[in-house]
Amino acid sequence: MSTPLIELDAIRKAYGGGDAPEVEVLHGVSLTIHAGEFVAIVGSSGSGKSTLMHLLGCLDRPTSGQYRFCGVDVAGLDADELAWLRREAFGFVFQGYHLIATESARENVEVPAIYAGMPAAEREARATALLSRLGLSARHDYRPNQLSGGQQQRVSIARALMNGGRIILADEPTGALDSQSGIEVMALLDELAAAGHTLILITHDRAVAARARRVIEVRDGRVVADSGPDASRADGSDSGWLEQMADGSRTRAATLAGDMREACRAAWRVMWINRFRTALTLLGIVIGVASVIVMLAVGQGSKQRVLEQLSAFGANNIYLGPNGDSARQNGGRVTLEDAAAIRTVPNVALVMPYLEGQVVIRYGNLDYRAEGGGVSSEFPQALNWKTARGMFFSAEDERTMAKVVVIGERVRDALFKDDDPLGRRVLLDKVPFQVIGVLASKGAQSGDSDEDNRVVLPFSTASSRLYGNPYPSWLTIGLADGAKLQETEAAIDALMLERHRQRDFRMFNAASRIAAQAATSDTLSLLLALIAAVSLLVGGIGVMNIMLMTVRERTREIGIRMATGARQRDILRQFLTEAVLVSLVGGLAGVLIGLLVGGVLVLFGLPLIFSVTAMVGAFACALLTGLVFGYMPARQAARLDPVVALAGE
């Protein structure tokens, strides 16, 4: 017996300190246990035997003293190395069974192998074989609440054997069982001891302790009796493994892909079992994502419609009208002579005067009020406004002051309904005109037909026979090259100042209006997105609250996973995966609902433009929300002390 498997030297364990009084549970315990021994540690309640088991199984650390495992000082191992030791060396059989409630019997047995990196098919086959060996071949898919106490304890034993069960620590394995189940469990432990496993049995029952080959009695935190090492054990039966342990060798570890797959499976199982609570948690994420998508689509749609309306009248036009800083000299007027002078400015392609005013149109016994406009024959080119039917008047009509008129869609609908208006005679403020064309609809782009509620006629005819005013209300100036808009506008401004000697005119261009409107729409879209993002933030807080509650509810499960070899990063990954999976499902549902709501709004005529970037961004934000708000609860779970977690409810 060269190197003991377990060697304790003057181990002390105290709890409390600081604000709470310190209580010492173990008082200088020293003992050695060799591979292959069947040891019973017996003592009454409160004697410290369970604390001793936790120290032996590396679930807890001593306050002082030295614990050597295969000659290696356990105090020098970090949290992950202790987890590896628990996974590879120990198998725990607890009095309260400590099975994960959401997992089946087979899945509970597989847990240690998951953290050991055993392939799924291999661990499933091994778990099935162990359960069958323990008489549970028909109970593989049963959950713990569907099994009797004895059956649950057998599942616990199978789990302890999953990674080999070199050392089995059994804490009151028959304490919660009826007598028959207790007899069966002890028979199983006897078989394991005979097969060469190292068994350390913690019990207060001396009859149970008598089944062991070595009995150590603990009283008031001290070893008061020890029957001595079992001389019949097979010395060196586990020497190969002892050498691996002494050399610090490591067995295979779980792959990242395997870890993530298992974490997703377990997370989905928990979400499904608690689906009502999960749905409530998802609600905030769903509303947030859907709101972002719909709000941005509405903003982009409205922006696009406004820009289309503005550009429909000439994106490269300059508009010039009276009423600048002073309107006293020249009456603040823009004249046809100004228009003729502006035509000589480089890059000016056309100049169209527009004389506007209200008119009453009569056809038959129907009167209708509309916007009237005296324009030149360049109207279709200047405002990009063609005729849908008929023709537009010519320069000759303008020169001869012809009494012809082109009407808008709303005027046609109001006066002629289904009749053909072309060639018909109408009265404009009691002056007869002939309808020669119908303008293409402009107002239909926004659902507002005001732009179509107009008639246009030759400028000369309007100024002399209708309005009695020779001065244009404004000029539309079309450019040959839109890229030179700014310099052309400056040249026109200089020309008008030279002609008028003062700034009694005002000028603006469609491009600046479009840019201003685009900026306004972008600001509105940003505001809408921020409002929607608040919903996403609220959803993230909901995820964090639910995950904190989940950690509290599943504290014992965390302890079980740690006892079976889970590292801190395994626990962190498990709970972070759950948070991200909630956000993932919420994000997908939010995208679908956002598209559905958007489709309904489109049916009601609201302009929407869905952006793939917005959808991807909202979905990514949902995932990021789960990651950020799920990290703190996951970190809290990962940093739990195994012993404290196992004692949790």
Side-chain angles (χ1 to χ4, degrees), residues 369-386:
R369 182 175 292 276
E371 181 75 30
V375 300
S376 71
S377 59
E378 294 171 307
F379 176 90
Q381 294 78 33
L383 295 181
N384 190 28
W385 204 342
K386 311 297 183 184

Side-chain angles (χ1 to χ4, degrees), residues 290-340:
S291 298
V292 169
I293 291 172
V294 173
M295 293 293 192
L296 288 178
V298 169
Q300 287 298 316
S302 300
K303 173 182 174 181
Q304 185 64 28
R305 175 165 288 184
V306 170
L307 296 182
E308 286 175 356
Q309 284 182 299
L310 292 175
S311 62
F313 293 99
N316 294 324
N317 287 347
I318 296 173
Y319 299 92
L320 187 147
N323 299 327
D325 296 336
S326 172
R328 288 177 293 181
Q329 294 189 11
N330 292 327
R333 296 165 179 165
V334 175
T335 65
L336 292 178
E337 289 75 14
D338 290 332

